[in-house]
Amino acid sequence: MKQSFSTSSFAVNVSKRLSMGVISCLLASQVATAQTESKPSIVSSVTESGITTTTYSNGKIVKSVAEGYHLDTAFYKNSNVVLSTKPKQYWKITDRIGVATPFCKEGEDITMFLKPGAYNYLTVNHFWGKVGLGILGGYQNFGVSDDYKGPQGLIARNAATRGIPTSALNYDKIGSYEDFLLMIGPAVSLPLGTKFSLDIDAKGGLMNTSAPRFGATMPANLGVDQIIFRLTPSASRNQLGGVLSVDLLYNLSKNWSLGLNAVGFVTKTPFTTLGQDAAPGNILLTKEDIRTHGGCNFGLALAHTFGACSAQTVYELLPPPPAPVVCAVPTLESESGRMYDYGSTEKPTFRWKSTSGTPENEEYIFKLYKADGSGIPVYQQTTKSTTLNLPNNVSLVNGDECSFYYYTIQSSVQGKCLSEANAASFGYKAKPAPIAPVAKTEDQYIFKIFGGSTATKYFGTGKPVRKPRKIAKAATPATVTAAPAKKLIPRRKKASAGTVTGVKKYSTVVNYENVATNPNIKWPEDLPLPKSPAVYEYEVQRLSAGDCKPTGQVAKYKFYIDPKKPNDIRIIPDSPKRK
């Protein structure tokens, strides 16, 4: 009894798989080379001496330098230039043909009795420089040696268990072992000098394995042959496999290469066996089995490159970065220090002026404080106008005692920055006291803090100032006590004690104005500290106890403050006069 095998359906399935594999590879390469980032429009593109200069609508300039050309250093040494390299791109198709040798443990194969055959692999790779990606399609076959008829073969052993001599057996027509391959994977091409190159392909994917066909029968009664043993391909032939190929190529011309090829492969091969059981009764059994299949192939390789794109060095001159956003300190135009009469319902109108070149981009933050040391605004508003009137629901305290207020104004641009504050003050007079002996009240002083010039360092060994010069408390205009006698200090190369370095021109901007009972210099808690060491000017004047008007001499000091040590305020002494 003979079995027949249809090869038409198998060929149709393999052709479909090969077609789908080629289409998938082409789509993958197209996606890999597609540009996903949207670019601005091209204004101009000029090519000269291997250098292509492209100007884009956003101001970016790209220079693409072909291989073998060089760009002048004045361009690529610009700090705003980004350097990148585009490797050479090309396609390579390689055909490999030679002898296929199966791997047999200890030199023999007592399962399928395979012997060397032939192979033909075709690969198509797309390379980016030395690294590529592609597909492999191929075919290989192996013959069946006559050893399957020997005493170690499955046929002879099966017949021996049934007492049948091998001379009485009829052997089937042999069908060779076949593999169809369709795989995908990376590749590497390494130049070895100017004439030789080494290509390495690693592919993995589908292998359609077809086990060999062989067996034996014995004539029986009624003219029907009795099956002794038969090995046939399994119905499930598709298995995963891998191939590693190494080519040593000699460059015949610019696009053609010829050389030697070595291939290693591995997969699994399912197969079916049909034979009689050795137990009494001799029942015919069918078994499905699988085995590891691998081998080494050796032959020739012919490679052809096409569609090459030369390597390029790309210099991108990026557009200049946007200018930093700077917030300018507005100047105050409303009266500062105005005192309203007791019982007055008049409210001040606050006015200021922008010092920025683009005032249309600014908005202003106004804050109103009561001079009680709390530092909490009683009213604040953000506006784009340069004039502000307090709403009716904001009431200002106008009690029996003097009431003082101060306000700050800052500018902001698109919420990206905030300027320093400019400040001014106003107040309401106390209720007139009846003519009567007035009990001694605690003196009050009005003080202002000017400037805010940055300073590099303070040179001095003196301790923090505890008390400045005292102001006289007599009814007559107060005078400031004389400062200690100045001592001449010899010139030194280093800065003398009690001086600062790196001071810029003093500013006349009033940073803070308030009333206190202690004339000593102390940094207000509700005034933000400077960002770095700075020099300020402190002005203090006594207020009349009767009408809260400034009276007496104005005392002025310059002092140094470090934001890290806000309590360590140091008076800067006047420079000694030269003789």
Side-chain angles (χ1 to χ4, degrees), residues 408-422:
T408 62
I409 187 71
Q410 296 172 281
S411 68
S412 175
V413 177
Q414 301 174 358
K416 297 180 179 180
C417 64
L418 186 66
S419 73
E420 293 186 4
N422 204 343

Side-chain angles (χ1 to χ4, degrees), residues 432-441:
I435 300 174
V438 180
K440 185 177 179 180
T441 59

Side-chain angles (χ1 to χ4, degrees), residues 37 44 47 111 156 161 205 247 266 277 303 309 313 322 401 431 462 487 520 522 526-527 544 556:
E37 297 182 0
S44 64
T47 302
T111 303
T161 59
D247 303 330
V266 65
D277 188 7
C309 297
T313 303
E401 300 295 334
K431 181 180 180 180
K487 295 181 181 181
N520 294 336
K522 182 180 179 182
D526 55 342
L527 178 62
S544 174
K556 296 183 178 180

Side-chain angles (χ1 to χ4, degrees), residues 224-266:
V224 178
D225 291 344
Q226 182 181 1
I227 296 176
I228 302 303
F229 178 84
R230 179 168 290 149
L231 187 146
T232 58
S234 174
S236 57
R237 303 178 183 181
N238 294 329
Q239 300 292 325
L240 294 178
V243 171
L244 178 64
S245 175
V246 180
D247 303 330
L248 179 61
L249 300 175
Y250 176 78
N251 301 325
L252 300 174
S253 64
K254 182 179 179 180
N255 297 324
W256 288 95
S257 302
L258 179 65
L260 302 176
N261 166 248
V263 177
F265 67 92
V266 65

